[in-house]
């Protein structure tokens, strides 16, 4: 059984530093995550379709910079790239706090997107440089739980603090989000300054090739498509589709939306170690099958909440959606990053993680746009149906991936060698 104590004891010093401040770093993100589209639509007065399109800029820019970012990580190391991204994040959040025109908001979201494009491959490459083996999958799961702890606490605070009739409350939370980026900057410039993520150029690094060679591998292609769909119906909806549906269709309050993120966090924090113990040594593709079924159930619950608007049942449905969705997250997050990094080598790890990030950003681009268009045209049932069908697609893609992925990257442990015992 995996416990927090044994996991922490197995970590190297650099790994402990990386984990120690994760929840604090993401607190600012939690303050703004559930409320950005509400801020754009209800506070600044942009229509819902435009607000969804503006939100997608984060992912559009992230997708554009992810490819070059992965190459720069492999060449110069993750720390330098991450520092540049964090500076952009601080500037973007500060500008968004005072944005009263769509053009200003667009510039701010572009700057935030630059950080999103490099932070995913950068931090994953940093993690992979510090931990390996089974500990790596555990690390990705625990890191995800801590990220959600910070986001969940921030969501609770934001839900009780922000007021659509008081624009200054939104200004404050975006400024706090900007300030939270100073914490990882201090870590990268201090305790983690000696960690190297780039390997010395060798014949192996030349043979590893670039993006074209990596994407020619069938396992990478199927995994990337699966990641895209998962992001489209999952995290691509968390900043746009879910809050908009909860407000416009289920007609719940911002406080309920904030509390739903708290429920999400509680489920992840309480279940992540148990889930890690259950999936250890199991085929990661089979874990994805279960996750797909869990997420399909969660979207059906949210759809039911929309049938009873502005009621206690609707509020309970919104909270239940996030709880069930969170259980699916505990299955997804330890597996996908671990597969990418187990397929990669030290010479192309930045590019593998950039491909993962590109799939994430691609889903996040399509997600808010689709949500904004469908909900703006009152196609509530169609919106839920698209999400459920996407979940079924994940299950089919996981089955295809299992036929093409090496056993070691699929989380299957190699059999213990039989010991030779001399017989006299």
């Amino acid at each position: 059984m995996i416990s927090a104590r044994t996991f922490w004891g197995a970590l190297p010093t650099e790994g402990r530093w990386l984990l120690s401040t994760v929840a604090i770093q993401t607190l600012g993100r939690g303050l703004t995550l559930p409320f950005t589209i509400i801020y754009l639509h209800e506070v600044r007065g942009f229509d819902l379709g435009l607000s969804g399109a503006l939100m997608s800029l984060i992912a559009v820019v992230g997708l554009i910079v992810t490819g070059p970012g992965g190459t720069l990580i492999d060449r110069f190391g993750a720390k330098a790239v991450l520092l540049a991204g964090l500076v952009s994040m601080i500037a973007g959040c500060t500008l968004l706090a005072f944005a009263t025109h769509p053009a200003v908001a667009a510039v701010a979201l572009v700057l935030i997107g630059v950080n999103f494009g490099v932070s995913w491959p950068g931090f994953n490459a940093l993690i992979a440089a510090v931990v390996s083996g089974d500990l790596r999958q555990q690390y990705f799961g625990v890191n995800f739980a801590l990220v959600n702890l910070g986001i969940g606490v921030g969501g609770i605070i934001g839900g009780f603090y922000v007021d659509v009739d008081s624009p200054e409350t939104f200004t404050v939370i975006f400024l706090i989000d900007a300030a939270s980026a100073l914490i990882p900057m201090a870590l990268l410039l201090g305790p983690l300054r000696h960690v190297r993520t780039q390997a010395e150029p060798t014949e192996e690094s030349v043979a590893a090739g670039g993006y074209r060679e990596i994407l020619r591998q069938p396992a990478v292609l199927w995994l990337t498509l699966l990641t895209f769909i998962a992001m489209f119906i999952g995290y691509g909806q968390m900043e746009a589709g879910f809050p908009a549906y909860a407000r416009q269709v289920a007609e719940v309050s911002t406080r309920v939306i904030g509390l739903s993120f708290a429920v999400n966090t509680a489920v992840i924090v309480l279940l992540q170690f148990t889930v890690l113990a259950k999936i250890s040594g199991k085929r990661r593709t089979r874990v994805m099958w279960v996750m797909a079924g869990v997420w399909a159930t969660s979207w059906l619950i949210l759809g039911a909440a929309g049938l009873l608007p502005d009621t206690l049942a609707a509020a309970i449905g919104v909270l239940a959606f996030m709880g069930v969705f969170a259980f699916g997250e505990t299955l997804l997050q330890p597996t996908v990053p671990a597969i990418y990094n187990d397929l990669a080598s030290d010479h192309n790890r930045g590019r593998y993680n950039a491909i993962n990030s590109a799939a994430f950003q691609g889903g996040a681009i399509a997600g808010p746009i689709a949500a904004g268009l469908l909900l703006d045209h009152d196609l509530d049932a169609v919106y839920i149906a698209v999400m459920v069908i996407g979940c079924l697609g994940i299950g089919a893609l996981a089955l295809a991936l299992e036929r093409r992925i090496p056993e070691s990257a699929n989380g299957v442990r190699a059999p213990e060698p039989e010991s030779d015992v001399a017989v006299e």
Side-chain angles (χ1 to χ4, degrees), residues 99-298:
T100 57
H101 190 278
V104 178
V107 173
L109 292 166
V110 164
L111 291 170
I112 294 172
V114 170
N115 179 63
F116 275 35
V118 300
S119 62
W120 182 285
F123 276 111
N124 278 2
L126 201 61
I127 290 168
V130 171
V131 294
S132 60
D134 287 341
L135 191 63
R136 182 181 290 165
Q137 176 170 295
Q138 297 167 20
Y139 191 106
F140 280 123
V142 174
N143 181 76
F144 172 69
L146 291 174
V147 166
N148 276 270
L149 178 61
I151 290 176
V153 172
I156 294 174
I157 297 171
F160 282 96
Y161 176 70
V162 297
D163 183 353
V164 294
D165 295 320
S166 301
E168 65 274 8
T169 61
F170 287 86
T171 299
V172 169
I173 63 173
F174 284 111
L175 291 178
I176 292 175
D177 195 8
S180 67
L182 296 173
I183 298 172
M185 290 183 71
L187 282 178
L188 294 170
L189 294 172
L192 301 179
R193 65 186 182 278
H194 299 303
V195 176
R196 285 180 59 86
T197 57
Q198 73 274 34
E200 294 295 335
T202 63
E203 291 184 3
E204 182 184 349
S205 65
V206 175
Y211 286 110
R212 182 177 299 176
E213 287 74 15
I214 295 171
L215 288 170
R216 282 176 179 169
Q217 302 176 49
V220 176
L221 282 175
W222 286 102
L223 179 61
T224 301
L225 181 58
L226 185 152
T227 304
F228 171 83
I229 299 296
M231 295 310 106
F232 174 83
I233 65 169
Y235 301 103
Q237 304 304 320
M238 290 302 100
E239 291 190 17
F242 163 66
Y245 186 95
R247 284 285 289 168
Q248 306 298 321
V249 182
E251 298 182 14
V252 301
S253 67
T254 57
R255 181 171 298 183
V256 170
I257 295 174
L259 285 174
S260 73
F261 278 84
V263 170
N264 180 279
T265 298
V267 171
I268 291 170
V269 172
L270 292 174
L271 292 185
Q272 188 67 81
F273 274 105
T274 301
V275 169
L276 287 171
K278 295 293 184 182
I279 68 176
S280 181
K282 303 294 193 302
R283 294 181 186 273
R284 291 164 179 162
T285 48
R286 306 289 173 87
V287 175
M288 293 177 190
W289 293 358
V290 178
M291 183 277 294
V294 170
W295 271 10
T297 302
S298 72

Side-chain angles (χ1 to χ4, degrees), residues 389-408:
I389 292 170
C391 293
L392 300 178
I394 290 176
L397 289 170
L399 180 63
L401 177 63
E402 184 170 305
R403 301 193 188 106
R404 295 165 175 85
I405 194 173
E407 292 276 278
S408 58

Side-chain angles (χ1 to χ4, degrees), residues 278-339:
K278 295 293 184 182
I279 68 176
S280 181
K282 303 294 193 302
R283 294 181 186 273
R284 291 164 179 162
T285 48
R286 306 289 173 87
V287 175
M288 293 177 190
W289 293 358
V290 178
M291 183 277 294
V294 170
W295 271 10
T297 302
S298 72
W299 284 110
L300 291 173
I301 292 172
L302 185 63
L307 299 176
L308 300 167
D310 195 22
T311 65
L312 177 61
I316 293 173
V318 168
L319 297 175
F321 160 78
M322 279 297 253
V324 177
F325 185 87
F327 174 51
E329 291 179 85
T330 66
L331 297 165
L332 176 69
Q333 286 301 328
T335 53
V336 170
I339 293 175

Side-chain angles (χ1 to χ4, degrees), residues 44-89:
R44 296 309 184 191
F46 311 152
D47 68 58
L48 193 57
L50 175 60
S51 298
L54 286 171
M55 290 292 296
S56 72
L57 282 176
I58 297 176
V60 171
V61 175
L63 182 61
I64 292 172
V65 305
T66 289
T71 301
L72 291 172
I73 289 167
D74 286 333
R75 181 172 299 177
F76 301 108
K79 294 194 299 297
V81 177
L82 286 170
L83 285 170
L86 289 167
V87 170
S88 182
M89 180 72 175

